[in-house]
Each structure stands twice: as C-alpha cells, then as structure tokens.
C-alpha cells in the first residue's frame, strides 16, 4: 500500500468561504483568485466549490486554458497581464481580460491585430511599488489605451500592500482616488484583507486567501473570527511508537530531550511532503482529533508527536497536520504556518507532488 499521507480538498468549504466574501460585498462582483494552481489545491479540484464566483483571476495562460476546458464561459482575468506580444493572440481566442501595468504592454496591444477589442484592467502602483503605473503616469497610460482600437473597456485596478497590518490602506486609497477621479471604468481594489478588515467595496473584489480557509490577518484574527472553513486537510498516520525515559533525545541533532517518561508517535510526514522543516517542538497537531504537539526536528519523511497524554493512540492512529480532523476537530493551517515562521499561503502551495491529493467525499 502507499504511504498513508494524503491531502484532501473540501469543495463545501470553498463554497462556504466564497459565500462569506460575497456576503461582505453583496453589491459587488467577486473574482475567485486561483493563481498558483488554486493556491496548491488544484484548479480542477477547486472548481466545483468556486464556480459560483463571477469570474476567475489567475496568472498564466495555461491555467486560463484549464479553466476554459472545465466549461467556464465567464470572465477570466490575467492579473499580471501578458508576458510577450504573442500572448495577446491567445487572449483573443480564449476571451481573456488582462491587466496592463507597463508601457511595453500598451505597445504590444497597439501592434496587435484583432477583430475583437480587449477588455483590460489598467493597474496603478499606488504604493506597493511592484507592478503598475505611478499615480502621475496613470492618466497618460489610460489616454493611450483609450485611443487604441484594440481596446474596448478599461477597468482600473490596484493592490494594497498593508491591508492586513497597522499601516492600513488609507494612503494608497487616497492616491488611487485622486489619480482616477472622473475617469470612467469599473474599479477593482479589494484583496481578502481589504475586504474583511476595511470593507472596501468597488465593482469587483478579489477573494484570494480567504477562499482557502486562511485568515489574511492572523494572528490578530483567526478563521473562526471571519467564519471561514479549512479547505485543505493534510493528514497521515502513526507508523511506530517509542517509549522514552528521562534524558532520552529525539531526532536529528538531539534537539529535544525528554524531561521524564514519555510516549511518542512516529508520523509518515516530513519536509519532502511539504511539511516545513522549520516547525519546532510544540507545533500543534491532532492525533485522532485530539490536540498534541510535535517534538524534535522534522525529518525528510517523518516527524514525531507527543502521545504521553493520549494512551489510546498507537500505530494506525490518524494524524492531522492541518485542516479537518476526526470528530469535527479543526487545526487551522495558520497555526502551523506561524510555528514555521511563514504564512498559510506557503504551506498550501508547497504540498509535494508525491502526496496524493484528492477531493474529499464528505
């Protein structure tokens, strides 16, 4: 039989989280952001849970082709636009909307031969300093696009750098509003954090990480606060147990020393499966739905958990590394990510190809 580790995708949770986004902005249209292969869930596995969205936003043409192959006929937005002139041909064929964030993309559009004008989203660099035209250059870029027969409707978009933190969005919102005042076109501003924390509502909102059961502002707020549900479960089983005496050590580097008699379980999960090697002793895990902790260093293929207070646990016991556990128990991916010094985003996207991933039957 294969190793017992597997990842489950929960379409019901995806649908629930999308509805939470829609409830926060009932008069707006919602993009379901499915970049990075639907944040590691798999576009095809996530599609049923997210098909109530008004459109899908992603990065590359191959992902757009996969969404069209699933039967989606609604809007698809390329969040970074095209990467070379010939990409515009596929945009025409697949009816893709795309961001425009630099002069070169405008020039490519001007040289593009098409019978169907393109819907574009002109991006402003309102303070993130990543992609987009500065506020002073924005109106000139809009005028150049508006003069092109290759362009139909121009929407306006920006991205907030600090929607999840103390600085907030006021400085970027003010820059955007000042530069776009009296310009026509739909607006698209809110990412997950801006929607949940600041209630920014425009014509379109971009629901990203919230769709996948991670709180954008954790640890200030957790998924229970925002009424979100885990959409991915990483689970395995105990494949061995060890009984420790006081002063026995565990794992590479002997980084954990037993303070007294202990019982530990060896779990078929390691950093080669995508579980972070940096997770220290004390990282939460569930064994048969009961909360416990990891101990010692994470190895390539194994890690160890404390069974001292779980006498019924043994070989074959289910271990939830994150997500839904037995009996309705939940271990939010944000808790594990925090222990590793990273974000839930990274853990979702980093599940290794050798881990079987499937749609949950519940």
């Amino acid at each position: 039989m294969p190793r017992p580790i597997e990842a489950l995708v929960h379409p019901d949770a995806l649908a629930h989280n999308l509805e939470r986004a829609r409830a926060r902005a009932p008069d707006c249209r919602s993009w379901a952001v499915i970049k990075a292969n639907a944040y590691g869930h798999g576009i095809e596995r996530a599609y049923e849970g997210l098909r109530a969205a008004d459109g899908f936003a992603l990065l590359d043409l191959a992902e757009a082709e996969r969404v069209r192959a699933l039967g989606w006929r609604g809007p698809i937005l390329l969040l970074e636009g095209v990467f070379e002139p010939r990409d515009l041909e596929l945009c025409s064929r697949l009816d893709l909307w795309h961001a425009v964030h630099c002069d070169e993309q405008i020039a490519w559009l001007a040289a593009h031969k098409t019978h169907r004008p393109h819907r574009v989203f002109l991006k402003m660099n309102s303070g993130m300093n990543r992609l987009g035209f500065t506020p002073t250059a924005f109106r000139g870029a809009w005028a150049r696009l508006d003069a092109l027969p290759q362009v139909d409707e121009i929407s306006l978009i920006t991205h907030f750098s600090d929607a999840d933190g103390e600085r907030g969005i006021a400085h970027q919102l003010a820059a955007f509003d000042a530069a776009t005042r009296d310009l026509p076109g739909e607006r698209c501003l809110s990412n997950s954090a801006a929607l949940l924390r600041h209630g920014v509502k425009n014509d379109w909102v971009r629901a990203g990480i919230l769709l996948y059961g991670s709180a954008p502002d954790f640890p200030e707020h957790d998924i229970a606060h925002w009424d979100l549900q885990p959409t991915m479960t990483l689970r395995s089983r105990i494949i061995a147990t060890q009984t420790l005496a006081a002063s026995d050590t565990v794992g590479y580097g002997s980084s954990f020393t037993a303070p007294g008699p202990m019982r530990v379980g060896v779990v078929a999960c390691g950093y080669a499966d995508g579980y972070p090697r940096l997770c220290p002793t004390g990282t939460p895990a569930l064994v048969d739905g009961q909360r416990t902790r990891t101990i010692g260093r994470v190895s390539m293929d194994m890690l160890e958990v404390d069974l001292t207070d779980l006498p019924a646990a043994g070989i074959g016991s289910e271990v939830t590394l994150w997500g839904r556990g037995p009996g309705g128990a939940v271990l939010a991916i944000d808790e594990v990510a925090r222990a590793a010094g990273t974000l839930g985003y990274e853990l979702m996207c980093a599940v290794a190809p050798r881990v079987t991933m499937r749609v949950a039957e519940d």
Side-chain angles (χ1 to χ4, degrees), residues 133-150:
F133 294 91
T134 63
T136 55
F138 191 79
R139 297 180 77 90
W142 185 93
R144 296 200 305 277
L145 283 174
D146 188 52
L148 295 180
Q150 294 90 342

Side-chain angles (χ1 to χ4, degrees), residues 169-337:
I169 65 171
H171 62 296
Q172 288 186 255
L173 193 58
F176 181 87
D177 288 343
T180 62
R181 189 171 292 115
D182 76 20
L183 283 180
E186 294 184 338
R187 269 69 169 162
C188 179
L189 279 73
S190 287
N191 55 8
S192 293
L195 178 61
L196 294 178
R197 287 173 61 92
H198 303 282
V200 177
K201 303 176 183 69
N202 297 101
D203 301 286
W204 289 89
V205 296
R206 300 188 303 277
I209 193 62
L210 76 84
L211 294 179
Y212 302 99
S214 176
D217 57 350
F218 185 84
E220 182 178 349
H221 298 110
D222 60 14
I223 59 172
H225 176 86
W226 298 120
D227 188 20
L228 304 175
Q229 297 178 3
T231 59
M232 178 191 288
T233 295
L234 182 65
R235 68 183 185 184
S236 188
R237 294 190 180 276
I238 292 175
I239 59 172
T241 62
Q242 298 288 342
T243 300
L244 308 181
S247 78
D248 282 348
T249 62
V250 174
Y252 286 118
S254 299
S255 64
F256 176 82
T257 301
M262 292 183 66
R263 184 165 167 265
V264 300
V266 181
V267 184
C269 177
Y271 60 75
D273 300 300
Y275 191 88
R277 183 179 179 276
L278 293 177
C279 282
T281 291
T283 300
L286 304 177
V287 175
D288 291 334
Q290 302 299 306
R291 195 175 181 97
T292 185
R293 60 174 180 153
T294 66
I295 57 173
R297 287 186 185 170
V298 176
S299 302
M300 180 182 287
D301 308 305
M302 291 172 279
L303 57 82
E304 295 182 70
V305 292
D306 188 351
L307 301 181
T308 305
D309 296 327
L310 302 174
I315 292 178
S317 289
E318 182 174 324
V319 180
T320 306
L321 288 314
W322 62 70
R324 300 184 185 181
V330 170
L331 175 57
I333 195 170
D334 296 324
E335 291 191 67
V336 181

Side-chain angles (χ1 to χ4, degrees), residues 22-35:
R22 298 175 74 97
R24 298 285 294 189
D27 298 322
C28 305
R29 283 176 286 175
S30 298
W31 293 110
V33 180
I34 56 170
K35 62 181 180 175

Side-chain angles (χ1 to χ4, degrees), residues 3 5-7 37 40 45 234 271-275 347-358:
R3 289 174 73 232
I5 189 169
E6 64 176 354
N37 198 24
R45 287 182 287 268
L234 182 65
Y271 60 75
D273 300 300
Y275 191 88
L347 269 59
M348 296 173 191
C349 295
V351 175
R354 76 174 187 172
V355 176
T356 298
M357 187 175 292
R358 62 181 178 86

